[in-house]
Amino acid sequence: MNDLDWLEAQSIHILREAYARIRPIAMLWSLGKDSNVMIWLARKAFLGRIPFPVAHLDTGLEFPETYAFRDRYVKEWGLDLIADPCPPIEATDPTLPANARLAARKTLGLSQAIERYGLNGLIAGIRRDEQATRAKERVFSPRRMDGQWDFRDQPPEFWDQYNADFPPGTHVRIHPLLAWTEVDIWRYIQRESIPVVPLYFAREGKRYRSLGEIGITMPIDSEAADIPAIIAELKATRAPERAGRVMDHDSEDAFERLRVGGYL
Amino acid sequence: MTVQLDRAALGQDARAFPIVVVGHVDHGKSTLVGRLLHDTDSLPPEKVAQLKEVSAKRGLDIEWSFLLDALQLERDQGITVDTTQIWFSSASRRYVIIDAPGHKEFLKNMVTGASQAHAAVLVVDAAQGLAEQTRRHAYLLKLLGLSQVVVAVNKIDLIGHDAARFAAVAAEVRGYLDSLDLNTAAIIPVSARHGDNIATPGTATPWHAGPTLLGALDALEPPPAPFEQDLRLPVQDVYRQGDERIIVGRIESGTFQVGDRITLAPTRQTARIKSIESWPNEAPKSGARAGQSVALTLDEELFVERGMIVAGHDAAPRSARVLGVRLFWLDRSALQVGDRLRLRIGTAEVEAAVTTIDEVLDVETLGTASGKAIGQNDVARITLTLAKPVALDRYAALAGTGRGVLVRDWRLAGGFVVESLSTSADLTRVDAPVTAAERAQRNGHRGGVIWMTGLSGSGKSTIATALIRRLTDRGAQAALIDGDSLRLGLNRDLGFSDEARAENIRRAAEVAKLFAETGLIAVVSLIAPRAGDRAAARAIVGDGFREVYVKAALQTCERRDPKGLYARARKGEIANFTGISAPYDAPEAADLVIDTDRLKLEEAVDRLVEAIDDAYYTAERVSFAEGI
């Protein structure tokens, strides 16, 4: 087994554990590269058909290319899509920095989906190498009643014996991609021919390295117009992946506060 | 200019090599990781600038540890709270570094980090030598299954690069690691703050002839994959696709080929592997091996469910109900004899009771002592009794299916490796010809066990007799199992020592279980003074067990003294008499308490009947999984 085989086997094991032990469960589909890899892995885990809904937390602010991608692959992949609009910005915590409030709409959208569909588990495609607080996450991460992440007191997790037991009223976030790196994701997309939103590929000297909403996601300077070029670019660059995500950089702890509040 | 290195030429399609950094709090683990990243040129300049900025904010020059201590709390208090991971490359391969907290309070996070590593860097302060958490971490590395350790004797600058002091610390550390049977790959004097011997040889330690830290890491080999061992595939789930039942799981050890004959444990049914299923439909696979997540079909319709193990035809694991385990305990509240928890091993999950605590380990001396409770972060040897047999292995034989976890109050509370297992391994249970549901339908109630415990003279027998009468009058199938009666027959070979009492109760529980399986409501009346024995009884009986504490003050019992036993015990004519010369552990979480100091007999029976209605007459709850 090479490293991608190992990562794939590990992620499939996690997805099957989640489905065997936590119901009702749903998968978050941000439409970004990581969540497309996650959908692909779930189709492998469940032999073609994903046996639970996928949820897109829709702020109404995605790029047109992103919506087009969603509408096409919902059908092609036979997904059971939940796409309720997120609550408006007025409903977010006014003490957060302005850009973080835009992101916090997704946190509210998440709570809304958990409540509306009575979800006990949510599968999310975050990775340890994206961001330092995500690096501290568990594969199965319990959330308090209000959805908050108690990072000061995370339960132990070892030997792939994931904690799927939880008190009534709380839910578990499941992170099957935690061990993957950005380059792993692209190598896997290439190996498996997984479709992605075209905004990742350079046009006129710009491309999106990390894809979020219009207004709080900035493209990077790049000539990488296909996957091999992107992989070569990532191996050479030393800029962080989320540099184009405005909301991470308002203050030293902006992202930590978002995550503690329940953001992905 | 960045030189692009060819992945394949460097063997970089291998997994990033996971290394955990452990050691006592403040011996410099996070700083060492920060320095390693810096010296291998793994940090973007912006990151270094950002680091300088947040360090300056806290009045520091440059604090490498802030790289990994990402949380505000960690930076403000200067300690690592939770484990984290970061990637970097040496000239020869990729690494993922796992930083683990050294503070005692966060041992659960250290365990989380270390369990994912292939090897460990043990950081030891040159001035302080082995400290408590150094020893504890090393001991846990062994229990977690790591075998290779690189020792970094840090802050060598603070002891003036003293070769003699280094040699003394090195000897002390090596001695301790040897006694744990850990393989010490290298011991290196380093200064994480100044970068000596991290990625480049330090000029201040010319007496050190060995490798740098990075050099020592590059020399480590990944542990061999367990392909050669017996096949163990714990069943995660069974999916239906058309008429096909597809078994899924990840192979812990061994290999198989399509066409191989397999045995399922613990049921010992056999079949052949018909196919390996996958999506997208690629060329059909002919075999699979350890590490892979697979989906397979069998050539015969067998009953398969999560928790079973697919094994080689002549090499199935044993099933056991009594386990001797070595345990590390992480929960804040202590583990005691009699405690009941959920146990998970492979994909099996079962209720377990702590029957004995055999010894508690002192990590300082590696000596052992007997103990009544296992505190947070302790290591101990204990015996567990399971509610039903589970297929598993001894850890020394097969690691993947020889270790598991204990869960209490929705949290992973401890981990264990199986050292010994016993019972009924070679016997096969015959399935009941009549199902429990069929019996319940005929009787109008399910079978179960009402287990009454209390002092002699508390009123157990009187209440039990009246209860049987009442239940029978209303048409229930009920039977009495009385302690004294058992001792006149089935248990007449037993005395009153602790072991004999435990065996007395085990037999009573097995008999009660047989009654319950036949659809009867078995009412057991036994003093059963020890909490551990009662927990074992509950584990034997399983779901339908209800503990009833028949409570009366010792003075009341002594005043009643229906059999004249207290008077004889007081005179010394009866040894080991519960309440007088032997202890009684009052139940702390009985399903029902009947206080005979306050309740009349009729009231006591009313309450029991109410509890029985709830337990055995209400409609069976549909389990979560069946609702899907």
Side-chain angles (χ1 to χ4, degrees):
Chain A
M1 287 167 94
N2 73 11
D3 58 337
L4 292 181
D5 297 330
W6 184 85
L7 288 167
E8 179 188 77
Q10 179 80 354
S11 297
I12 289 174
H13 179 255
I14 293 165
L15 288 165
R16 286 173 174 167
E17 280 300 285
Y19 179 61
R21 297 177 61 199
I22 303 173
R23 311 269 178 93
I25 195 166
M27 177 178 277
L28 290 171
W29 187 29
S30 74
L31 304 164
K33 61 187 191 311
D34 306 289
S35 71
N36 290 337
V37 164
M38 190 163 65
I39 296 254
W40 195 262
L41 290 165
R43 295 182 78 197
K44 287 204 174 195
F46 306 110
L47 304 166
R49 195 191 68 85
I50 300 180
F52 41 75
V54 298
H56 173 220
L57 304 173
D58 193 355
T59 53
L61 295 172
E62 306 283 6
F63 293 95
E65 292 88 338
T66 308
Y67 284 115
F69 183 90
R70 180 183 82 182
D71 297 342
R72 173 174 172 191
Y73 286 99
V74 157
K75 291 197 205 85
E76 277 192 29
W77 290 344
L79 304 177
D80 172 12
L81 178 71
I82 295 174
D84 303 330
C86 292
I89 193 151
E90 293 73 29
T92 62
D93 176 0
T95 70
L96 280 172
N99 292 311
R101 289 188 69 183
L102 281 169
R105 287 186 60 204
K106 291 209 171 181
T107 315
L108 297 178
L110 209 55
S111 314
Q112 174 181 287
I114 288 164
E115 201 170 318
R116 190 171 290 170
Y117 303 99
L119 298 174
N120 287 320
L122 265 172
I123 307 171
I126 63 166
R127 306 190 329 266
R128 287 205 177 95
D129 77 326
E130 282 176 286
Q131 208 280 333
T133 61
R134 285 183 176 169
K136 298 201 178 242
E137 268 287 4
R138 300 289 189 262
V139 177
F140 278 50
S141 177
R143 299 302 155 133
R144 299 205 308 245
M145 216 78 93
D146 52 7
Q148 293 210 342
W149 180 43
D150 188 1
F151 65 86
R152 286 159 203 255
D153 190 20
Q154 297 200 77
E157 182 174 77
F158 48 92
W159 297 339
D160 297 336
Q161 287 289 358
Y162 302 113
N163 207 31
D165 303 296
F166 49 90
T170 56
H171 76 274
V172 185
R173 298 269 178 88
I174 300 102
H175 302 131
L177 299 184
L178 221 43
W180 295 62
T181 65
E182 189 183 10
V183 173
D184 294 335
I185 291 286
W186 280 111
R187 287 173 55 224
Y188 192 70
I189 287 171
Q190 181 174 37
R191 181 177 102 171
E192 303 281 322
S193 307
I194 303 170
V196 290
V197 179
L199 294 169
Y200 284 110
F201 302 109
R203 270 174 42 197
E204 290 157 21
K206 296 268 186 200
R207 75 174 194 94
Y208 288 88
R209 183 170 165 196
S210 173
L211 204 53
E213 278 79 9
I214 296 172
I216 54 171
T217 313
M218 299 301 153
I220 57 166
D221 293 333
S222 171
E223 298 297 334
D226 58 19
I227 299 175
I230 288 176
I231 293 171
E233 175 190 280
L234 293 177
K235 286 181 183 170
T237 186
R238 306 214 295 177
E241 180 178 3
R242 292 180 63 89
R245 295 295 198 104
V246 180
M247 80 256 194
D248 295 13
H249 312 293
D250 283 343
S251 65
E252 183 188 331
D253 64 346
F255 200 67
E256 179 180 332
R257 286 187 60 197
L258 270 175
R259 297 218 67 231
V260 167
Y263 188 76
L264 297 167
Chain B
M1 185 192 136
T2 310
V3 179
Q4 276 305 309
L5 299 167
D6 181 59
R7 292 185 75 83
L10 290 174
Q12 295 212 347
D13 279 348
R15 253 185 85 191
F17 195 90
I19 296 276
V20 68
V21 183
V22 298
H24 197 78
V25 64
D26 275 344
H27 284 199
K29 293 176 298 301
S30 296
T31 308
L32 181 127
V33 175
R35 175 54 83 166
L36 190 59
L37 293 170
H38 177 261
D39 291 1
T40 51
D41 207 16
S42 310
L43 296 176
E46 307 85 69
K47 192 86 199 174
V48 178
Q50 188 198 5
L51 213 52
K52 281 188 174 146
E53 186 191 322
V54 296
S55 303
K57 214 190 280 181
R58 290 171 177 79
L60 302 164
D61 177 21
I62 179 157
E63 187 49 56
W64 294 112
S65 61
F66 284 177
L67 255 184
L68 301 173
D69 293 344
L71 304 171
Q72 292 283 308
L73 171 80
E74 294 178 318
R75 291 178 177 179
D76 289 344
Q77 300 189 358
I79 55 166
T80 306
V81 171
D82 213 331
T83 180
T84 193
Q85 302 195 1
I86 196 159
W87 282 256
F88 82 99
S89 295
S90 72
S92 63
R93 68 176 163 201
R94 290 192 300 154
Y95 287 91
V96 53
I97 286 255
I98 303 163
D99 184 37
H103 204 281
K104 190 173 179 176
E105 201 185 323
F106 306 120
L107 195 77
K108 64 185 171 65
N109 300 334
M110 174 270 170
V111 165
T112 301
S115 67
Q116 302 169 50
H118 284 168
V121 175
L122 182 66
V123 182
V124 182
D125 185 304
Q128 295 182 24
L130 281 179
E132 189 197 349
Q133 294 311 307
T134 326
R135 293 175 195 271
R136 198 177 297 276
H137 283 189
Y139 195 93
L140 282 168
L141 291 178
K142 181 68 188 170
L143 264 184
L144 288 167
L146 278 81
S147 60
Q148 307 181 90
V149 181
V150 173
V151 181
V153 178
N154 191 23
K155 308 187 188 181
I156 200 76
D157 50 314
L158 297 185
I159 59 159
H161 305 99
D162 179 348
R165 171 65 195 160
F166 168 76
V169 172
E172 186 193 22
V173 175
R174 189 183 290 277
Y176 187 75
L177 297 183
D178 283 352
S179 65
L180 296 179
D181 198 23
L182 280 164
N183 169 19
T184 309
I187 304 182
I188 306 158
V190 306
S191 165
R193 187 152 304 281
H194 302 292
D196 294 329
N197 293 326
I198 302 290
T200 46
T203 49
T205 53
W207 41 267
H208 173 64
T212 61
L213 178 61
L214 192 62
L217 294 181
D218 278 344
L220 296 173
E221 297 279 342
F227 299 142
E228 304 298 325
Q229 294 182 312
D230 287 343
L231 173 65
R232 294 290 184 266
L233 168 57
V235 176
Q236 270 188 293
D237 214 336
V238 180
Y239 303 146
R240 281 204 180 76
Q241 227 174 38
D243 293 338
E244 217 59 272
R245 286 162 61 78
I246 299 171
I247 299 168
V248 301
R250 193 179 50 186
I251 306 172
E252 289 291 340
S253 55
T255 61
F256 67 79
Q257 296 294 315
V258 170
D260 281 359
R261 182 163 280 281
I262 56 96
T263 299
L264 280 168
T267 58
R268 299 189 161 263
Q269 312 164 90
T270 73
R272 284 186 192 281
I273 293 175
K274 190 169 83 180
S275 66
I276 298 176
E277 301 293 315
S278 60
W279 178 93
N281 293 318
E282 297 147 351
K285 293 187 175 65
S286 62
R289 57 189 199 169
Q292 292 179 327
S293 283
V294 294
L296 58 90
T297 60
L298 300 177
D299 69 347
E300 283 177 59
E301 288 258 333
L302 302 182
F303 172 71
V304 188
E305 65 177 351
R306 182 178 164 87
M308 290 179 169
I309 293 179
V310 177
H313 181 46
D314 41 10
R318 299 176 62 185
S319 32
R321 280 189 64 176
V322 180
L323 310 182
V325 305
R326 193 171 291 266
L327 166 92
F328 53 90
W329 184 247
L330 302 169
D331 204 39
R332 281 186 202 95
S333 58
L335 183 68
Q336 293 176 322
V337 169
D339 283 357
R340 297 199 315 269
L341 314 97
R342 302 294 296 172
L343 175 148
R344 292 214 311 268
I345 187 162
T347 54
E349 183 164 351
V350 67
E351 188 170 305
V354 179
T355 353
T356 56
I357 294 178
D358 304 311
E359 55 186 36
V360 178
L361 183 104
D362 178 343
V363 291
E364 194 75 29
T365 61
L366 293 184
T368 56
S370 62
K372 291 203 119 182
I374 303 167
Q376 187 175 23
N377 302 339
D378 278 349
V379 174
R381 282 185 47 240
I382 66 171
T383 308
L384 295 166
T385 304
L386 313 185
K388 59 175 191 186
V390 167
L392 42 77
D393 290 289
R394 282 188 315 111
Y395 181 70
L398 280 171
T401 42
R403 62 190 183 186
V405 298
L406 295 175
V407 180
R408 178 152 87 184
D409 295 339
W410 298 295
R411 278 173 88 98
L412 244 63
F416 64 85
V417 301
V418 178
E419 293 188 327
S420 65
L421 44 94
S422 61
T423 76
S424 59
D426 303 319
L427 305 177
T428 310
R429 183 174 290 271
V430 175
D431 289 335
V434 183
T435 66
E438 201 177 330
R439 289 189 194 280
Q441 196 169 15
R442 291 196 183 203
N443 292 340
H445 61 78
R446 290 186 298 284
V449 175
I450 298 291
W451 187 281
M452 304 211 303
T453 170
L455 293 168
S456 177
S458 59
K460 296 184 299 299
S461 297
T462 311
I463 294 170
T465 311
L467 175 62
I468 298 286
R469 185 73 257 161
R470 177 88 73 86
L471 290 173
T472 309
D473 287 348
R474 54 181 262 185
Q477 299 290 327
L480 177 66
I481 299 175
D482 178 75
D484 282 0
S485 307
L486 284 180
R487 281 188 175 278
L488 290 169
L490 177 67
N491 294 352
R492 70 180 173 207
D493 56 326
L494 300 175
F496 290 87
S497 66
D498 283 352
E499 295 73 38
R501 280 177 186 268
E503 177 59 14
N504 183 45
I505 286 159
R506 189 191 69 79
R507 290 185 198 173
E510 290 287 357
V511 170
K513 180 187 161 89
L514 288 174
F515 278 30
E517 284 176 354
T518 342
L520 299 179
I521 297 171
V523 178
V524 181
S525 165
L526 266 179
I527 298 173
R530 306 318 306 254
D533 294 339
R534 294 195 302 263
R538 183 187 287 264
I540 287 169
V541 172
D543 281 347
F545 187 94
R546 295 291 183 279
E547 184 176 57
V548 177
Y549 175 26
V550 181
K551 182 180 166 191
L554 180 62
Q555 301 90 298
T556 312
C557 297
E558 207 166 344
R559 199 178 58 242
R560 291 174 184 157
D561 203 6
K563 302 171 194 165
L565 297 172
Y566 282 97
R568 291 179 56 207
R570 286 289 183 200
K571 285 188 216 153
E573 291 173 18
I574 307 176
N576 286 333
F577 191 79
T578 303
I580 304 295
S581 47
Y584 179 78
D585 307 334
E588 285 176 1
D591 297 295
L592 182 66
V593 179
I594 301 282
D595 185 345
T596 61
D597 277 325
R598 302 207 336 258
L599 293 179
K600 296 200 186 75
L601 177 61
E602 279 308 299
E603 292 169 332
V605 174
D606 286 348
R607 295 209 178 171
L608 277 159
V609 168
E610 209 172 290
I612 285 169
D613 278 343
D614 276 353
Y616 310 128
Y617 279 84
T618 48
E620 189 99 54
R621 273 176 305 168
V622 178
S623 82
F624 196 36
E626 284 163 351
I628 305 302

